[in-house]
Amino acid sequence: MNSLRLRVFGVELRDELRGVVREPTALFFGVVMPVGIFVLFNLLYGGQVNQGLSAGTAMVATFGAYGVITVASLQPGVGVAQDRDLGWLRVKRVSAVPVPITLAAKAFAGLLHGAAVLVLLGTAAALLGTLHASPLALLRLAAVLLLGTIPFTLLSVSVGFQLRTNAAMAVLNAALFPLAVLSGLWMPIELLPNAVGQLARFLPTYHLAQLGLAQLGAGNSGVHLLALLVTGAVAAGVAALSYRHART
């Protein structure tokens, strides 16, 4: 049974990855846009140094957080909404494909997509000469950012279970961009108005970025890790309720 489930998971994962490659909107918002903005800001500010950390290196963490959050927020939720609209989830409930395996494949495809974005950001920073971090620190950063997407994936799936495709995409995009700006993912939080800095401390996107920066030697991890764990617990509860409601 376990081997059968693993094979089914492999098929589902392959289909999800093919869907990402074939979908130009997902490639633009999930890869081209984060990398393009990162390169632009790196050219403008990448050489500056703050607290011993170059801006180019710091942006690998902050724009990396934006990149993986974009993937985790859009890809699974929109995919679930599309499957609901097309009736695929209903078909899978009465077939040999358990819905949890489908959801797991969507989430894992998002992780692989996010990992590709991080590799592109790191490569771009290295080519621009603004990346100054050890391979171990970069590996820690990648692991933290990818694992930190779990709460966002759960919330995305919750939206997908409740809304149709166009509505889910609109809601997720409408939430993503303000969160990115208010959390300092595009520019240092110190450059934003003080009120924004105070608000950012209540946003999980801010805590993921700060947790990433901590892996590069800027700040501590404790409070940011706790904030993400609390967010993950809440998101898991919301996802479970959303799934049950969608089945009724």
Side-chain angles (χ1 to χ4, degrees):
M1 180 63 70
N2 289 335
S3 61
L4 176 60
R5 287 176 177 268
L6 187 60
R7 288 199 298 271
V8 172
F9 174 80
V11 172
E12 292 283 307
L13 177 61
R14 183 182 61 197
D15 289 343
E16 290 297 325
L17 293 175
R18 285 177 175 173
V20 172
V21 174
R22 292 171 180 171
E23 178 53 56
T25 302
L27 287 175
F28 177 78
F29 285 105
V31 178
V32 177
M33 188 172 179
V35 175
I37 297 175
F38 172 80
V39 170
L40 174 62
F41 276 71
N42 235 289
L43 289 172
L44 293 174
Y45 309 110
Q48 297 180 6
V49 177
N50 184 18
Q51 296 180 345
L53 190 65
S54 73
T57 302
M59 281 191 279
V60 174
T62 56
F63 275 88
Y66 169 67
V68 296
I69 289 170
T70 298
V71 173
S73 297
L74 294 179
Q75 187 173 313
V78 173
V80 168
Q82 288 175 335
D83 285 352
R84 287 180 61 245
D85 288 349
L86 295 172
W88 278 114
L89 286 184
R90 186 173 300 173
V91 170
K92 289 177 179 180
R93 287 190 186 120
V94 297
S95 69
V97 181
V99 172
I101 290 183
T102 297
L103 298 179
K106 291 181 183 297
F108 195 72
L111 286 177
L112 294 178
H113 191 170
V117 172
L118 292 177
V119 170
L120 290 174
L121 293 181
T123 301
L127 292 175
L128 292 171
T130 60
L131 180 61
H132 307 288
S134 69
L136 180 58
L138 293 174
L139 285 174
R140 287 200 310 266
L141 171 63
V144 164
L145 292 183
L146 292 174
L147 290 175
T149 63
I150 292 174
F152 302 97
T153 298
L154 292 171
L155 292 173
S156 173
V157 167
S158 302
V159 172
F161 274 127
Q162 298 304 316
L163 300 177
R164 300 183 70 86
T165 302
N166 290 337
M169 187 176 298
V171 168
L172 292 170
N173 272 307
L176 176 64
F177 292 106
L179 286 173
V181 174
L182 295 175
S183 300
L185 303 188
W186 288 0
M187 63 187 69
I189 201 74
E190 295 80 12
L191 299 181
L192 299 174
N194 186 59
V196 174
Q198 296 299 321
L199 175 63
R201 289 166 173 77
F202 296 94
L203 303 176
T205 42
Y206 166 81
H207 290 289
L208 180 57
Q210 294 301 311
L211 191 59
L213 286 169
Q215 309 313 306
L216 301 175
N220 298 315
S221 302
V223 65
H224 307 299
L225 178 60
L226 178 61
L228 285 174
L229 289 174
V230 171
T231 302
V234 172
V238 172
L241 291 174
S242 182
Y243 176 63
R244 290 177 183 176
H245 182 267
R247 296 193 62 178
T248 59

